[in-house]
Amino acid sequence: MRTSLNVPDDVLAEFDAVWQAEGLDSRSRAIREAMLEYVESHTRLEEAEGDIAAVVAFDYEHEAVIQELHTVQHDFEGVIEATSHTHHGDWCFEVAFCDGPAERVRQLVYRLRDFDAVRRVSVLSLTAAATTTDH
């Protein structure tokens, strides 16, 4: 299937540099792999049940959204255990350490992704089953 995308020139240039440095044979292959990674990461979050521990990292344009983000953080204080924040020019990078029902963590992630001024939201999660190890 053919499709077209609108991608900023600087993002496309970075993407091309990465897939070429990795030795992939085409941009199409790199896009397919990126899409599969995206699907896998979102499927894991969607399929999580019960209580999970998660790290939710996101970056955003400070002035455009800070008040709304504070409201969201207060709305989800039942699962956000702690946060860490740093500035980089007009942009901020925030990490929320979460623990609680998977459904509530999902709602937080989706709420953060609703903001135009939030550029990326990444999630690293552990389910109860994933934390069990044999010694």
Side-chain angles (χ1 to χ4, degrees):
M1 169 195 277
R2 290 198 173 272
T3 188
S4 65
L5 305 169
N6 291 321
V7 180
D9 290 340
D10 59 331
V11 173
L12 185 60
E14 286 183 70
F15 184 78
D16 285 345
V18 170
W19 70 260
Q20 290 168 355
E22 289 181 356
L24 295 178
D25 57 357
S26 70
R27 182 187 289 157
S28 291
R29 171 139 184 231
I31 290 171
R32 282 192 305 271
E33 287 190 17
M35 290 174 77
L36 286 171
E37 287 180 20
Y38 179 84
V39 169
E40 288 171 3
S41 70
H42 287 272
T43 300
R44 182 172 181 188
L45 181 62
E46 278 299 312
E47 292 175 350
E49 295 179 358
D51 284 347
I52 63 171
V55 176
V56 179
F58 55 101
D59 59 343
Y60 58 93
E61 193 173 6
H62 181 82
E63 292 300 321
V65 73
I66 190 63
Q67 291 302 105
E68 293 89 347
L69 285 178
H70 283 164
T71 300
V72 168
Q73 287 179 335
H74 284 283
D75 290 345
F76 287 88
E77 65 187 2
V79 293
I80 297 175
E81 302 253 321
T83 60
S84 183
H85 178 96
T86 188
H87 297 268
H88 186 73
D90 292 336
W91 286 82
C92 296
F93 183 65
E94 187 118 6
V95 179
F97 300 90
C98 302
D99 189 15
E103 178 60 28
R104 197 71 177 129
V105 174
R106 263 192 301 277
Q107 290 170 353
L108 169 61
V109 169
Y110 297 152
R111 183 66 184 103
L112 292 172
R113 288 182 177 151
D114 279 344
F115 292 105
D116 289 338
V118 172
R119 184 168 41 192
R120 289 178 303 242
V121 180
S122 297
V123 182
L124 171 63
S125 66
L126 296 173
T127 62
T131 60
T132 304
T133 59
D134 295 320
H135 294 287

